[in-house]
Structure formats: structure tokens, C-alpha cells
Amino acid sequence: MQTLCAALVGIMIAASIYLILDRNLIRFIFGLILASNAINLLIFTVGRLDSQRPPLIPNPATAVQGPFANALPQALILTAIVIGFAVVSFAAVLVHRAVDSTGTDDSDDMRSTE
């Protein structure tokens, strides 16, 4: 399962880099969203998907019985989702303002109109 998630993270990062390097600013926003989601999946994968080891209790301890979840990656991902939403919202407002003032969403055309 971790190999599949790692491959999926690689594909998502590659697609997000492709979208971010495009001249269209709308694709840049979608690339930023995709990169944020890929990083969240990476944090989730690094947090071990193994349900046989307790997350916060040493291996010889037997205090955890039954299903449990690793709380640290979940807290990091929740924080990353909130910060990612704020960054994407700010970037979307900047792109909207740039498109309104220049009349185009192509970054090369924006340089020539200034």
C-alpha cells in the first residue's frame, strides 16, 4: 500500500510541476492545488500505514488494544489543509486582480502589456 501511495505522490507532483510551469495562470492555480494535495498524501504515507504498531507507545507496551490511528500525521495534514487553502485563496485573488488589470491570463502577454 505504501508503494502505491508513493507512486501516486510522484505522479501528482509531476503533474503539478507541469501545470505550474505553464504560462496560463489558471493552470498555475490548479497545479498549486494538486501540489498541496500531493504533499498531504506524502505526509500521510510517511506516517506509516501499518496498523500493527502503536503510534505513540513503545513496541513492548501492550496498552493499545484494537484499532488505532496515528494522530501526528493527521494533525499535520489538517494544518497543511488549512494553510494550503489560505495560500490557494490568496493566489486566486492575485490572479484575478492581475487578469482584471491586464486583460489576459497568459503570463507572457502580461509582461508585454506593462
Side-chain angles (χ1 to χ4, degrees):
M1 182 70 174
Q2 288 181 342
T3 307
L4 177 66
C5 284
L8 185 60
V9 166
I11 291 169
M12 289 173 69
I13 290 291
S16 68
I17 289 172
Y18 174 77
L19 289 172
I20 287 173
L21 292 177
D22 196 8
R23 294 184 304 184
N24 191 341
L25 293 179
I26 302 301
R27 287 189 181 183
F28 173 80
I29 296 293
F30 285 130
L32 195 63
I33 292 169
L34 190 60
S36 174
N37 289 331
I39 297 300
N40 290 342
L41 183 60
L42 177 68
I43 293 171
F44 181 70
T45 303
V46 169
R48 289 181 286 142
L49 300 175
D50 186 18
S51 63
Q52 301 302 320
R53 293 176 32 188
L56 302 173
I57 299 172
N59 284 335
T62 59
V64 175
Q65 304 293 329
F68 51 83
N70 194 348
L72 183 61
Q74 293 178 8
L76 290 174
I77 290 171
L78 183 62
T79 305
I81 288 171
V82 172
I83 293 170
F85 179 72
V87 168
V88 167
S89 299
F90 183 68
V93 168
L94 287 178
V95 166
H96 179 68
R97 177 71 177 139
V99 169
D100 277 351
S101 64
T102 61
T104 183
D105 63 349
D106 190 358
S107 60
D108 286 344
D109 292 342
M110 286 181 176
R111 285 189 202 124
S112 65
T113 59
E114 289 179 0

